[in-house]
Amino acid sequence: ESGELLTPNSFKYCARIIHNELNNPLFHSHCLRHTHGTILAENGVNPKSIMERLGHKDIKTTMNTYVFNTDKMQQDAADIFARAIM
């Protein structure tokens, strides 16, 4: 917006501020990759598409490390199953 160049180092700086100065020890810059993958999966994106978007060569890396099974996913699975047996 201001025309200032943003680089990966710019974001790493922001992540360090969140981690250290705002005292959020669980946050690191890589968290957003996990969030990105999980949001895509939660909204029904094909796992292979998520894998390619995150730049992985192995689906196991994507699904075991970058996609988390959320409460919404669990509820969606239960809803789909309930509709299927009705």
Side-chain angles (χ1 to χ4, degrees):
E1 185 175 311
S2 69
E4 182 180 352
L5 175 65
L6 294 178
T7 66
N9 286 335
S10 301
F11 181 74
K12 287 178 186 176
Y13 171 76
C14 293
R16 280 194 305 273
I17 296 296
I18 294 168
H19 183 84
N20 296 322
E21 292 184 27
L22 297 179
N23 197 28
N24 187 343
L26 299 178
F27 183 84
H28 51 84
S29 60
H30 215 69
C31 288
L32 296 180
R33 284 181 58 84
H34 297 271
T35 301
H36 184 89
T38 300
I39 287 171
L40 292 174
E42 197 174 59
N43 286 281
V45 174
N46 182 294
K48 181 133 173 99
S49 297
I50 299 170
M51 178 189 82
E52 290 176 2
R53 187 167 176 97
L54 294 178
H56 298 145
K57 294 180 181 175
D58 184 357
I59 194 71
K60 289 181 194 177
T61 300
T62 304
M63 298 310 291
N64 292 339
T65 305
Y66 287 88
V67 174
F68 300 95
N69 198 11
T70 66
D71 290 342
K72 179 185 182 309
M73 291 172 166
Q74 290 286 356
Q75 187 60 54
D76 289 349
D79 294 343
I80 289 167
F81 185 75
R83 284 193 304 274
I85 62 172
M86 290 185 157

